[in-house]
């Protein structure tokens, strides 16, 4: 049974049993405290803990998940994958234990011919939480399971939570017995490899906090409603139903493994170590493909780092299999072909995905080459110093800064007969992890108190009226002071205000929050920020500038109209620039982030190299032509699937709300899913001026632009500079570049001339200087101070010219000069002088000592310098004294 068919049977079964089928949410979790969707329940957390009322009482889905906590297990066991799909059925306050158990049992053991999964009853075992007598009794009654196949386990195994504060509860797991060939008798309590968990039914009933470990946390209290969260491992069921040994051999994964085997020229099933590598590659390549398809891009932190790590581990595994060159073009293509039926986006977005994947592999291969050079140096230095091990900080630097994996460092060091100070390395790694954890904890704390918003959100979504009006009368539903619900807030206090309706835009989709006020009877509030702390709820952070505001009072939200207008111009301009970029660069230039506020926009997109001046101008022109064309801006709310069909650009999956808002500018020319505020026709944008283009990371570029009046002001400032230049240079504007280039050339020519004059002037001094030669200690010596000179080179050049003029008889020239307040002496000797023992180096040194500095050089010419200009005669005397000595 193909993996896709298992998923389809699951969805069909639950649809038949009144569940709404919902699409998978993105792998990128909307919850900032969890990097990825690690379980099917993550996108439903707001419904499960009652923060947001669930739009349906029961649902079912196939959810894409990423878990990298067990990354070291990948390839070693049959069932650990970093990417996997979880089939789930959900009850939000509807059915509970009995329903969950009946559905699970019926689907698992139902005959294949009737749409079931066809498991033999005798192959299934279950576990329940230690004191959950109710679940045990239900398994006996509904499934007819004998007591010995219902095992009880503790919190470690049968209590489920995400590791974060949130909804949790006891669970009951269903296991498949692979048979005595795979391990010991005695059920999952004894051997969880022979007995493979395939489905987990969680009875979500309480809220927990202060989570310290799997078993240590504090139960806050019961959830407002009891819920069901189940998770069936699609890959696990697939490998069992397909009669293969593990999840890396199922139809969606095996083709990558086979490709890696071919590329390496080694066999699968021959060497245990190699097999693990093949499975790691098959798993990691698929995970990377899926992460890229959900918009994650490789980087050095957060989600991007995990993606990078997966890709690098694959490269590393290929190298250990003996392949040094690039393999992603082959491996990712194989994975794409295996996944595209279930996730068409991996094929439709292939150009972008493959661009990132292949570039990352190339970069890493270069890193490995560069790291090898640094490591070679470290090895040489370590050996020279007589140490037996490469130091911990050195190994850490290679890992942390150069991305050079520690196991590679160990391996290469070993080949060179060296150790690595592993203990010191581990300490540094440990410190780094502790820093990362502390950082994550502080973010979690900020989120843990979201429950204060539950009561407000329960009253419904905050209605945003600001698309149509800039002022809305409503009432204060709630107030928070210092994060705690309050009845009132007085002048000078900072508070959060929840209104039933608001005209103020909350920051989202790259558009910053509105500015403005909230006013009511006897009070005035200034808006500091507007955010959505939970989906659907708007919270205004305000300063009470006048009077006292209380819950229940009338409240009018008032938008700062000028600021809003400029923000709308900037947001519409962002869409225009995005469309222009795609017109110019093609469809792979997809959005990677954006920010827009009054007068300014910033747009990041996937692109590997700098844009040429011509391309920038083209993008700017296309966007401004769209402004000139006065294109109509229209918005429409419609089902997501329909919007996608119409070609709207949306990279991230959306689980909340079945409908989306689509913004068109000029019909399909610019079509994006967007909840932002826009102008009503493109002409209102006024003007877009691209002011910057730069790189963000290895594979993204950023354009920045000024919009509307701000763009005009920028251009006006430039015009002012240009008119100053035309006046100063007395040159018409269009001839300015040529004129400035001419001026540069003239300046260069003049400098050349001056240099020639100076050289002539120097040469003119040669005869007179040579004329001062007098015998000293068997040579002829010229020792003269030149006074102020332009450069050290002049002194040197003159010394050499004088020496040459003195002919072949032994001669020494010592010239001193004052170069911009620094004293210097150059000593030059000819062949005969050197033969007689007069070398320049020691003489220059002696002169420099007199100047209070140092010096030296070759035997034929040397120089010295110091700060004492007055000591020049003494320095020349020192040279003479040096020659007088026998
Ligand atoms: N939340 C449970 C799990 O992830 C069941 O979906 O295992």
């Amino acid at each position: 049974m193909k993996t896709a068919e298992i998923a389809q049977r699951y969805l069909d079964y639950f649809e038949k049993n009144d569940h709404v089928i919902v699409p998978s949410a993105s792998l990128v979790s909307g919850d900032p405290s969890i990097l990825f969707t690690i379980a099917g329940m993550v996108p439903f957390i707001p419904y499960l803990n009652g923060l947001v009322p669930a739009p349906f009482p029961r649902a079912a889905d196939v959810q894409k998940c990423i878990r990298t906590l067990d990354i070291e297990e990948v390839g070693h066991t049959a069932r650990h994958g970093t990417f996997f799909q979880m089939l789930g059925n959900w009850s939000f306050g509807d059915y509970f234990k009995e329903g969950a158990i009946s559905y699970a049992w019926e689907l698992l053991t139902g005959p294949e011919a009737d749409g079931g999964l066809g498991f033999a009853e005798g192959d299934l075992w279950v576990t329940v939480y230690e004191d959950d007598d109710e679940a045990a009794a239900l398994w006996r009654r509904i499934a007819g399971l004998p007591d010995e196949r219902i095992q009880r386990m503790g919190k470690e195994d049968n209590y489920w939570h995400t590791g974060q504060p949130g909804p949790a509860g006891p669970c009951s797991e269903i296991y498949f017995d692979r048979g005595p060939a795979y391990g010991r008798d005695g059920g999952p309590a004894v051997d969880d490899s022979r007995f493979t968990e395939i489905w987990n039914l969680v009875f979500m009933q309480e809220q927990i906090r202060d989570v310290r470990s799997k078993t240590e946390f504090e139960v806050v209290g019961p959830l407002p409603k009891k819920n069901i969260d189940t998770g069936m491992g699609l890959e696990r069921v697939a490998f069992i139903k397909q009669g293969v040994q593990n999840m890396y051999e199922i139809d969606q994964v095996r083709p990558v493994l086979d490709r890696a085997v071919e590329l390496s020229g080694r066999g699968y099933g021959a060497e245990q170590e190699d097999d693990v590598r093949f499975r790691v590659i098959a798993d990691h390549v698929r995970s990377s493909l899926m992460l890229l398809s959900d918009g994650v891009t490789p980087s050095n932190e957060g989600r991007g780092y995990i993606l990078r790590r997966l890709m690098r581990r694959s490269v590393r595994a290929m190298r250990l299999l003996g392949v040094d060159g690039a393999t992603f073009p082959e491996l990712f293509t194989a994975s794409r072909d295996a996944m595209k039926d279930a996730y068409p986006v991996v094929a439709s977005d292939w150009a972008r995905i493959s661009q990132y994947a292949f570039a990352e592999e190339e970069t890493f291969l270069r890193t490995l080459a560069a790291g090898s050079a640094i490591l070679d140096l470290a090895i040489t230095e370590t050996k020279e110093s007589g140490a037996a091990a490469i130091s911990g900080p050195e190994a850490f630097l290679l890992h942390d800064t150069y991305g050079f994996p520690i196991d590679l460092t160990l391996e290469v060091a070993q080949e060179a007969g060296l150790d690595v100070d592993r203990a010191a390395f581990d300490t540094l790694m440990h410190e780094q992890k502790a820093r990362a954890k502390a950082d994550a904890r502080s973010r979690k704390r900020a989120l843990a108190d979201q429950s204060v918003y539950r009561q407000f959100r329960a009253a419904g979504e905050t209605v945003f009226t600001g698309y149509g009006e800039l002022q809305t009368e409503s009432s204060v539903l709630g107030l928070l002071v210092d994060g705690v619900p309050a009845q009132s807030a007085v002048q000078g206090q900072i508070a959060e205000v929840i209104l039933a309706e608001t005209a103020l835009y909350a920051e989202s989709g790259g558009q910053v929050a509105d500015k403005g006020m909230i006013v009511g009877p006897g009070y005035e509030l200034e808006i500091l920020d507007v955010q959505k702390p939970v989906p659907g709820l708007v919270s205004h952070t305000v300063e009470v500038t006048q009077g006292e505001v209380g819950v229940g009072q009338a409240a009018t939200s008032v938008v700062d109209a000028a600021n809003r207008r400029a923000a709308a111009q900037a947001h519409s301009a962002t869409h225009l620039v995005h469309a222009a970029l795609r017109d110019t660069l093609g469809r792979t230039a997809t959005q990677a982030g954006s920010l827009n506020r009054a007068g300014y926009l910033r747009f990041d997109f996937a692109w590997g190299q700098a844009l040429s001046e011509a391309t920038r101008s083209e993008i700017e022109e296309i966007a401004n032509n769209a402004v000139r064309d006065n294109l109509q801006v229209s918005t429409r709310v419609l089902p997501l699937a329909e919007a996608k069909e119409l070609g709207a650009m949306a990279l991230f999956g959306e689980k909340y709300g079945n409908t989306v808002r689509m913004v068109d500018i000029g019909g399909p020319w610019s079509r994006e899913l967007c909840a932002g505020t826009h102008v009503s026709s493109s002409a209102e944008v006024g003007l877009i001026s691209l002011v910057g283009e730069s790189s963000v990371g290895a594979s993204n570029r950023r354009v920045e632009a000024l919009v509307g009046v701000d763009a005009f002001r920028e251009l006006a400032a430039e015009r002012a500079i240009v008119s100053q230049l035309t006046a100063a240079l007395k040159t018409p504007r269009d001839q300015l570049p040529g004129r400035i280039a001419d001026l540069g050339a003239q300046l260069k020519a003049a400098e050349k001339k001056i240099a020639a004059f100076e050289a002539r002037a120097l040469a003119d001094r040669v005869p007179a200087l040579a004329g001062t030669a007098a015998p000293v200690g068997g040579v002829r010596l010229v020792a003269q101070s030149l006074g102020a000179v332009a450069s050290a080179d002049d002194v040197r050049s003159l010394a050499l010219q004088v020496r040459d003029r003195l002919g072949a008889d032994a001669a020494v020239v010592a010239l001193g000069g004052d170069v911009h307040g620094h004293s210097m002496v150059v000593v030059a000797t000819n062949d005969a002088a050197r033969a007689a023992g007069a070398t320049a180096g020691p003489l220059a040194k002696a002169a420099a000592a007199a100047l209070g500095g140092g010096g030296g050089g070759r035997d034929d010419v040397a120089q010295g310098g110091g700060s004492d200009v007055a000591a020049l005669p003494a320095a020349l005397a020192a040279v003479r004294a040096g020659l007088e000595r026998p």
Side-chain angles (χ1 to χ4, degrees), residues 299-300 305 308-309 311-313 315-316 360 363-372 374 394-409 425 432:
S299 74
N300 280 335
Y305 178 67
R308 172 159 283 170
R309 181 149 178 249
M311 292 205 262
R312 293 188 162 191
R313 279 173 56 100
V315 173
R316 177 87 187 105
E360 178 67 12
T363 311
F364 187 50
L365 290 174
R366 276 202 300 274
T367 298
L368 287 176
S372 301
I374 292 163
E394 195 108 42
F396 183 73
L397 180 85
L398 273 164
H399 156 86
D400 197 46
T401 310
Y402 298 99
F404 202 73
I406 181 69
D407 51 349
L408 198 55
T409 304
F425 174 83
Q432 191 195 42

Side-chain angles (χ1 to χ4, degrees), residues 269-330:
E271 290 280 344
Q272 164 71 11
E273 235 183 9
D274 283 353
D275 287 355
V276 170
R277 289 171 188 146
F278 287 129
R279 294 186 206 123
V280 164
I281 292 162
D283 172 86
H284 288 9
V285 165
R286 183 168 79 136
S287 304
S288 306
L289 174 81
M290 297 308 293
L291 282 170
L292 283 163
S293 79
D294 265 348
V296 181
T297 54
S299 74
N300 280 335
E301 54 186 23
R303 301 182 173 107
Y305 178 67
I306 294 191
L307 169 61
R308 172 159 283 170
R309 181 149 178 249
L310 288 166
M311 292 205 262
R312 293 188 162 191
R313 279 173 56 100
S314 314
V315 173
R316 177 87 187 105
M318 276 314 286
R319 281 171 70 95
L320 292 173
L321 287 164
V323 187
D324 288 339
T327 57
F328 280 8
E330 305 263 349

Side-chain angles (χ1 to χ4, degrees), residues 163 200 261 316 486 572 766 799 835 877:
N200 185 11
V261 170
R316 177 87 187 105
S572 299
V766 172

Side-chain angles (χ1 to χ4, degrees), residues 205-451:
Q205 57 190 40
E206 46 219 6
Q207 178 83 19
I208 62 167
R209 71 171 173 211
D210 196 13
V211 186
R212 296 178 297 282
S213 71
K214 194 124 195 4
T215 54
E216 296 165 301
F217 48 82
E218 190 190 330
V219 175
V220 184
L223 289 173
K225 285 177 180 168
K226 288 182 174 171
N227 306 309
I228 287 295
D229 148 21
T230 88
M232 176 194 275
L234 179 55
E235 281 75 7
R236 294 183 182 188
V237 173
F239 90 71
I240 294 167
K241 294 301 293 181
Q242 292 174 16
V244 293
Q245 292 304 309
N246 52 58
M247 65 161 285
Y248 318 102
E249 296 174 14
I250 65 170
D251 58 325
Q252 284 187 343
V253 189
R254 177 80 194 221
V256 185
L257 191 152
D258 286 340
R259 204 72 200 93
V261 170
E262 272 171 48
L263 289 169
S264 73
R266 301 192 190 178
Y268 182 55
E271 290 280 344
Q272 164 71 11
E273 235 183 9
D274 283 353
D275 287 355
V276 170
R277 289 171 188 146
F278 287 129
R279 294 186 206 123
V280 164
I281 292 162
D283 172 86
H284 288 9
V285 165
R286 183 168 79 136
S287 304
S288 306
L289 174 81
M290 297 308 293
L291 282 170
L292 283 163
S293 79
D294 265 348
V296 181
T297 54
S299 74
N300 280 335
E301 54 186 23
R303 301 182 173 107
Y305 178 67
I306 294 191
L307 169 61
R308 172 159 283 170
R309 181 149 178 249
L310 288 166
M311 292 205 262
R312 293 188 162 191
R313 279 173 56 100
S314 314
V315 173
R316 177 87 187 105
M318 276 314 286
R319 281 171 70 95
L320 292 173
L321 287 164
V323 187
D324 288 339
T327 57
F328 280 8
E330 305 263 349
L331 299 174
F332 272 73
T333 308
S335 191
R336 174 199 67 191
D337 292 342
M339 294 301 289
K340 68 179 183 220
D341 288 343
Y343 301 94
V345 64
V346 299
S348 62
D349 204 12
W350 176 244
R352 187 186 64 83
I353 294 170
S354 56
Q355 188 182 328
Y356 276 111
F358 301 169
E360 178 67 12
E361 183 181 39
E362 273 164 29
T363 311
F364 187 50
L365 290 174
R366 276 202 300 274
T367 298
L368 287 176
S372 301
I374 292 163
L375 182 55
D376 286 347
L377 191 70
I379 288 172
T380 314
E381 283 173 4
T382 309
K383 282 189 169 164
E384 274 172 16
S385 75
I390 291 175
S391 75
E394 195 108 42
F396 183 73
L397 180 85
L398 273 164
H399 156 86
D400 197 46
T401 310
Y402 298 99
F404 202 73
I406 181 69
D407 51 349
L408 198 55
T409 304
L410 284 167
E411 202 178 285
V412 179
Q414 213 163 30
E415 278 163 18
L418 287 177
D419 247 349
V420 174
D421 185 347
R422 190 61 205 254
F425 174 83
D426 287 343
T427 309
L428 290 167
M429 280 299 282
H430 187 76
E431 285 171 13
Q432 191 195 42
K433 278 203 184 119
R435 280 195 298 274
K437 260 197 189 151
D439 180 45
R441 254 201 306 275
S442 63
R443 264 183 287 144
K444 246 186 268 171
R445 250 200 309 279
L447 225 90
D449 289 330
Q450 272 189 340
S451 54

Side-chain angles (χ1 to χ4, degrees), residues 39-41 67 86 90 160 200 202 204 229-231:
M41 53 84 74
R67 264 187 218 178
M86 219 180 230
W90 310 88
W160 208 88
N200 185 11
V202 184
M204 288 270 169
D229 148 21
T230 88

